[in-house]
């Protein structure tokens, strides 16, 4: 009755196909013959009871077929989520839309292909004596249940149950498993009602499905006629009409309904706000505005204009600011690619001189508006510079919190002034975050602040390819002193107890929720450098130079005029914070999405916020895209494990790095072989980074950039850190699983990295000292 | 100041529970010191190395069909028929004590200083002078339902030897997979479900050369130290709580000072669960469980004297070391009061780091505001930039996150 969680993160790359095969087998599936077994990121959650297994699968594209099992005679029930699947049977291909339940005989000749991502719920019932209904589906046909009616009820029950598998008690799960097993035979072939779905029915349905897709693609043609569609599909118009009649509709009615649905979707989508109503109507084939308005009102009860206003108001009202990142309701924009990147011209870079390929060179990357990207990572950004493996590079980084006290941290500093420049007429770095450029979700500003860090780069590494590992050694970190005449040479930082902080929802009783900014000075004490607080202020609603009001700290880089806040001195009197200079963000561009929010860290590095990433430390990151595309930012003077209030002492700093490329075929026997996560090496320790969702982009697909904020948990991050460390000890240190677990229990320290970056982190620290000695006699 | 000695024997231990109704094994005054011997409840994983020839250990672990020296093990029922044995293993730690402190009253705080910690050497001739411990990857471990190798699931015992000739470290001697063991009363234990069951080494397969390249740096400490709670007469020793108990923080070693709120008259301090080394999280379920002897000093802080000291408002265990303070957050800070009559078993269904982190944050905020007189905004800023939160354990039902703040932060200008 136990849960059986599975994640590919537990396994080294070579072991993954076999482990995944086992998961598929447990629900009566196997990889389709002649296709390769999925070896990428995959997770599954399974629970069984007396032959009933319900599983939720999430993995990359692949094709699956039945695993012939004589003991099992109930069909498999498979429910694709999110995306449709291609069902291949003897009769040919059929596209099955998402959330249509498939009933698949275990002895049938079929395969189901997930073209993009595999996200499905599978119910497998093997016939144990416990189940009262004996099924006789041997030789039964593949069936696709149309939505509606009992099939939908059953499918939804499967889906909801699969979603909550881990929340059910044993008793609840047992009852549920019994019900699922009892209900499944209800779908067994009963000839009278399913005849039309079988044999020729299947191909009819397939043709109709194809016709609908053609219609969908041709909506913008105002002269779309049945004849056109029919001839495009090579059937007669009469047959086409008959097919639609068979489905209880007519071609004309269907076409109009689809057009109206598309306009209503576009009208309620903030990303389409810049298009006029008639443009939208025209784009789906309504070439007469008056006719469109009439039809729309008839269908939806509101005129298109009223409808659009109504929707806009509804969305503003529900736009919760409690969660960072993309709100769920706006994800459509992300999927539709409307948030596409505006490419900027790259600064001309020092091309790597092939003549001196062997001699490491030193490079310098200054921070200015043309050399930073703000709040996001992207594999489409043109590199600022290309360097060779072994080269060193000095990278200037700026804290996005410099604007909390522009006099101390921006004024007089040409680089900072260039990046932060924002007046009514000009904003040097427009995009801040991975959100839409037109700020059509919350209206905060370009990029919507879905990601906040000023990242310098990207730096391309010559010859880097996906599968390689990039080693980044931090040789030095130097704070960036103030250039403002009044404060010349002194170093300042800012820490914000922000709305995304861990404390924010539970201030002590007498206080209202508020954000507080504390400005620190870094004192280079000969004994031990430290930070002390200078003053603090509470955030007051700020109007940015473009006139947008920010009630909370919801958009980075808004210059705070000293007159707009009340500074309180005498804060943290007598307290000295020991320094831990480090970079919060060190990232290689992720492969999954075009624009990735810089806040949640994951397998590609990013906003790790681990203070051990300071001078002398090395980080190893898996390369996901050609050139690796390294970006650095979010410099911190000091941070505690947890980063509780939401930020560290954010302080502009300049780092010097040596970058070494390890090619995929040279990784054997290296500690960073088999790397799918950020690995930190310090003088004394190995530090492995675990996250709530180690690859949230792959795990949640399109929803990732929102979901990761909603579902973070230290319990999940702890599990991930455990699995990573087990893998490291087994694959890199050659221990057995039993040895690895014993060692973790007695010598590995797990700590809280951060609870404020969406994807919460737990790290595991292994002292190198443990392995310092040769085998004992 | 008087120095007392509390040797370990069947008469000076209680097994698997804290209790306000057990008669004190020793009574002393504030300011007194005591040398207290403790035994690991895992000693019977290798009788030869950890019990045989040691009169104290033999007296405690003695269990034949006719005579079970310490019958009750755990806070469960003591009337049969038993599923696992008397006390039903609801709590497993061998605790020496209790030590009563004269004049201690609810509302006071007891400070316990650990002056020294020493391992307890083996007595049997062939191992004499050596020190051994046992680590069990057990059914309550974090890994147990997430194994990748067969057979699944399985429990594994690894025996370690502690080398104190130089910088102390432990190395593995051998390991074995637990097989069902039959106790002298005829009850079969298919998993490690009852403490002190002797392992018949004829039934297990020893594997040598385990962790052969590994030296585990020693961190001698007591996993379980605390006072009797007031809520119930017998309280399982497994979940830590507001009076301490099974905190399992390896920093509670030599030089440490622990502070506990007193819940019952006399305070009733008990100590056990000695560990030679443990990592933060105690992932597999146990540390290197090794019998140890400690020298302790007890200082009673009366309720009326707490104001203006670092103990003001203390309602939970706190650690002070030479360079830091730590507060302990739990899934349920006082699970006995919060979860009702069935709390001792119910707590295992609620384990969560997320709640423990929340609790640690609140306790650290309170400490900084009450003791260091910071405003809430100051406390939160300081926590963000200067306090470290770590995973204490994920195996003791009431999971723990500790918050640590370094003392040098408060060095005055």
């Amino acid at each position: 009755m136990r849960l059986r969680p599975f994640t590919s993160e537990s396994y080294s790359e070579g072991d993954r196909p076999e482990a995944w095969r086992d998961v598929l087998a447990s629900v009566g599936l196997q990889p389709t013959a002649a296709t390769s077994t999925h070896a990428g990121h995959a997770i599954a959650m399974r629970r069984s009871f007396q032959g009933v297994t319900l599983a939720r699968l999430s993995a990359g594209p692949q094709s699956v077929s039945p695993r012939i099992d004589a003991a099992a005679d109930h069909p498999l029930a498979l429910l694709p989520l999110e995306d449709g699947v291609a069902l291949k049977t003897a009769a040919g291909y059929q596209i099955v839309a998402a959330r249509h339940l498939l009933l698949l005989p275990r002895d049938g000749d079929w395969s189901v292909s997930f073209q993009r991502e595999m996200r499905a719920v599978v119910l497998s019932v093997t016939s144990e004596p416990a189940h009262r209904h004996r099924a006789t589906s041997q030789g039964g046909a593949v069936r696709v249940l149309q939505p509606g009616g009992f099939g939908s009820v059953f499918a939804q029950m499967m889906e909801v149950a699969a979603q909550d598998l881990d929340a059910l008690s044993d008793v609840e799960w047992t009852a549920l498993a019994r019900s699922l097993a009892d209900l499944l035979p209800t779908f067994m072939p009963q000839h009278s009602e399913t005849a039309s779905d079988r044999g020729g029915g299947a191909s009819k349905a397939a043709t109709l499905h194809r016709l609908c897709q053609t219609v969908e693609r041709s909506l913008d043609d105002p002269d779309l006629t049945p004849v056109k569609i029919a001839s495009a599909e090579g059937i007669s118009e009469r047959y086409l009409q008959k097919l639609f009649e068979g489905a209880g509709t007519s071609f004309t009615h269907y076409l109009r309904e689809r057009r109206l649905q598309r306009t209503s979707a576009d009208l309620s989508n903030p990303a389409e706000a810049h298009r006029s109503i008639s443009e939208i109507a025209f784009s789906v084939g309504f070439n007469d505005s008056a006719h469109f308005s009439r039809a729309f009102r008839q269908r939806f009860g509101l005129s298109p204009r009223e409808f659009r206003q109504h929707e806009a108001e509804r969305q503003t009202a529900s736009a919760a600011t409690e969660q960072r990142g993309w709100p769920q309701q706006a994800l459509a924009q992300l999927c539709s690619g409307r948030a596409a990147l505006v490419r900027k011209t790259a600064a001309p870079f020092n091309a790597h001189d092939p003549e001196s390929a062997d001699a490491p060179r030193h490079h310098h990357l200054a921070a200015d508006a043309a050399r930073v990207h703000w709040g996001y990572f992207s594999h489409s950004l043109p590199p600022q510079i290309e360097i060779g493996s072994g080269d060193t590079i000095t990278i200037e980084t700026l804290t996005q919190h410099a604007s909390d006290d522009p006099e101390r941290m921006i004024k007089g500093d040409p680089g900072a002034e260039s990046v932060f420049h924002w007046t009514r007429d000009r904003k040097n770095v427009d995009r801040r975050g991975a959100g839409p450029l037109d700020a059509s979700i919350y209206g905060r500003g370009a990029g919507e602040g879905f990601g906040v860090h000023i990242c310098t780069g990207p730096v391309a590494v010559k010859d880097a390819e996906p599968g390689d590992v990039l080693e980044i050694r931090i040789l030095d970190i130097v704070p960036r002193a103030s250039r403002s005449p009044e404060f010349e040479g002194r170093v300042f930082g800012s820490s914000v107890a922000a709305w995304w902080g861990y404390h924010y929802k539970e201030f002590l009783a007498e206080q209202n929720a508020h954000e507080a900014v504390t400005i620190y000075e870094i004192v280079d004490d000969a004994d031990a450098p430290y930070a002390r607080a200078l003053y603090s202020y509470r955030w007051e609603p700020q109007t940015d130079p473009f006139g947008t009001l920010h009630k909370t700290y919801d958009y980075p880089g808004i210059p705070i005029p000293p007159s707009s806040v009340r500074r309180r001195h005498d804060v943290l009197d007598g307290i000295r914070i020991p320094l831990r200079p480090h970079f919060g963000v060190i990232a290689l561009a992720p492969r999954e999405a075009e624009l990735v929010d810089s806040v949640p860290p994951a397998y590609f590095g990013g906003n790790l916020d681990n203070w051990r990433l300071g001078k002398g430390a090395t980080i190893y990151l898996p390369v996901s895209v050609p050139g690796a595309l390294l970006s650095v930012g979010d410099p911190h003077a000091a941070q505690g494990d947890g980063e509780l209030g939401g930020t560290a002492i954010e302080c502009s700093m300049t780092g010097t790095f040596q970058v070494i490329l390890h090619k995929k075929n040279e990784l054997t026997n290296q500690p960073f072989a088999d790397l799918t996560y950020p690995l930190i090496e310090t003088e004394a320790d190995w530090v492995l980074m675990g996250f709530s969702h180690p690859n949230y982009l792959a795990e949640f697909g399109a929803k990732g950039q929102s979901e990761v904020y909603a579902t973070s948990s230290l319990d999940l991050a702890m599990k991930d850190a455990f699995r990573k460390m087990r893998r490291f000890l087994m694959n890199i240190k050659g221990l057995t699983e039993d040895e690895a677990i014993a060692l973790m229990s007695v010598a590995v320290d797990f700590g809280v990295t951060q609870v404020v970056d969406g994807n919460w982190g737990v790290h595991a620290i292994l002292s190198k000292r443990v392995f310092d000695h040769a085998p004992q006699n | 100041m008087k120095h007392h000695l509390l040797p370990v024997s069947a008469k000076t231990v209680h097994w698997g529970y804290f209790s306000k109704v057990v008669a004190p094994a020793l009574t002393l005054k504030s300011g007194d010191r005591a040398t207290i011997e403790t035994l690991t409840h895992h000693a019977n994983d290798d009788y030869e190395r950890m019990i045989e020839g040691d009169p104290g250990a033999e007296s405690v672990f003695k269990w034949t069909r006719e005579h079970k020296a310490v019958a009750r093990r755990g806070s469960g029922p003591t009337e049969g028929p038993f599923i696992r044995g008397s006390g039903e293993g609801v709590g497993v730690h061998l605790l020496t004590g209790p030590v009563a402190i004269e004049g201690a009253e609810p509302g006071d705080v007891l400070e316990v200083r650990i002056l020294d910690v020493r391992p307890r050497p083996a007595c049997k001739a062939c191992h004499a002078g050596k020190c051994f411990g046992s680590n069990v990857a057990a059914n309550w471990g974090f890994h147990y339902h997430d194994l990748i190798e067969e057979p699944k699931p399985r429990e594994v015992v690894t025996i370690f030897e502690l080398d104190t000739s130089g910088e102390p470290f432990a190395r593995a001697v051998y390991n074995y997979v637990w097989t069902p063991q039959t106790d002298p009363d005829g009850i079969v234990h298919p998993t490690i479900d009852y403490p002190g069951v002797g392992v018949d080494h004829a039934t297990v397969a020893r594997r040598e050369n385990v962790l052969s390249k590994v030296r585990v740096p020693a961190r001698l400490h007591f996993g379980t130290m605390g006072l009797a709670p007031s809520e119930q007469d017998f309280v399982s020793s497994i979940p830590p709580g507001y009076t301490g108990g099974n905190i399992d923080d390896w920093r509670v070693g030599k030089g440490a000072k622990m502070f506990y709120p007193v819940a019952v008259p006399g305070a009733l301090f008990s100590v056990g669960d000695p560990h030679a080394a443990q990592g933060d999280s105690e992932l597999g379920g146990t540390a290197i469980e090794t019998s140890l002897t400690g020298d302790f000093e007890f200082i009673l802080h009366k309720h009326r004297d707490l104001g203006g000291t670092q103990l003001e408002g203390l309602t939970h265990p706190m650690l002070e070391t030479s360079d830091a303070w730590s507060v302990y957050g739990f899934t349920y800070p006082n699970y006995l009061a919060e979860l009702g009559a069935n709390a001792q078993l119910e707590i295992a269904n609620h384990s969560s780091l997320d709640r423990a982190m929340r609790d640690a944050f609140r306790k650290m905020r309170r400490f900084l505001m009450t003791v260091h007189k910071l405003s809430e905004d100051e406390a939160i800023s300081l926590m963000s930039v200067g306090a470290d939160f770590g995973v204490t354990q994920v195996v003791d039902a009431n999971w723990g996150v500790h918050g640590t703040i370094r003392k040098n932060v408060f060095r005055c200008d």
Side-chain angles (χ1 to χ4, degrees), chain B residues 85-154:
Chain B
S86 178
E88 289 292 2
V90 182
V92 296
H93 307 95
L94 262 174
L95 300 174
T96 310
V99 176
I101 286 75
E102 282 182 25
E105 291 295 328
D108 299 345
V109 169
L110 183 66
E111 173 181 350
V112 181
R113 298 182 175 180
I114 304 178
L115 307 176
D116 193 25
V117 185
R118 300 175 293 277
R120 184 183 183 96
C123 294
K124 184 176 159 76
C126 58
H127 301 299
K130 295 181 176 176
C131 303
F132 297 95
S134 167
N135 167 259
V136 184
N139 62 70
W140 59 89
F142 190 77
H143 66 291
Y144 192 65
H145 296 290
D146 197 350
L147 286 164
I148 52 181
E149 288 182 352
E150 297 293 345
K152 296 181 214 175
R154 62 186 181 278

Side-chain angles (χ1 to χ4, degrees), chain B residues 145-322:
Chain B
H145 296 290
D146 197 350
L147 286 164
I148 52 181
E149 288 182 352
E150 297 293 345
K152 296 181 214 175
R154 62 186 181 278
E155 293 177 297
V156 179
V157 177
T158 307
I159 302 297
F160 282 86
E161 181 180 345
L162 185 62
D163 185 324
T164 53
S165 55
E167 180 83 353
F169 67 91
R171 64 164 175 250
V173 184
Y174 68 93
N175 73 7
Y176 59 87
V177 174
W178 180 270
T179 55
Q181 297 293 325
T182 307
D183 71 31
D185 294 335
I187 294 177
V188 177
H189 302 272
T191 62
I192 303 172
D193 62 3
Y194 193 75
V197 173
V199 173
D200 177 356
H201 279 248
T203 67
V204 298
R206 283 194 189 193
R207 299 180 291 193
E208 316 279 342
N209 294 321
V210 292
L211 290 168
S212 57
K213 295 177 188 163
V214 167
R215 285 184 174 192
V216 178
R219 293 169 166 176
L220 302 188
H221 65 282
F222 296 97
T224 304
M225 266 175 41
L227 311 184
S230 60
E231 282 77 4
Q232 295 175 15
D233 283 351
F234 293 89
V235 176
S236 165
S237 68
I238 291 173
Y242 73 104
T243 55
N246 191 24
I247 287 178
D248 280 331
D249 181 358
W250 56 265
R251 295 160 192 85
V252 185
K254 181 176 176 172
K257 300 175 189 175
M258 283 295 291
F259 301 90
Y260 304 100
V262 174
V264 299
L268 300 184
F269 170 84
S270 299
V271 56
D273 192 23
H275 294 166
Q278 188 209 293
D280 275 338
S281 86
E282 203 184 14
L283 191 123
T286 65
I288 299 180
E289 312 278 329
T290 306
S291 299
L292 300 174
T293 297
D295 294 338
F296 302 87
E297 184 173 294
F298 298 87
I299 298 163
L300 182 66
H301 299 273
K302 294 302 288 179
H303 182 68
R304 61 177 179 272
D305 302 328
L306 301 180
T309 74
Q310 62 178 23
L311 303 179
E312 184 177 340
L314 188 73
T315 58
H316 53 83
M318 181 172 80
L319 165 72
E320 182 181 355
T321 63
S322 56

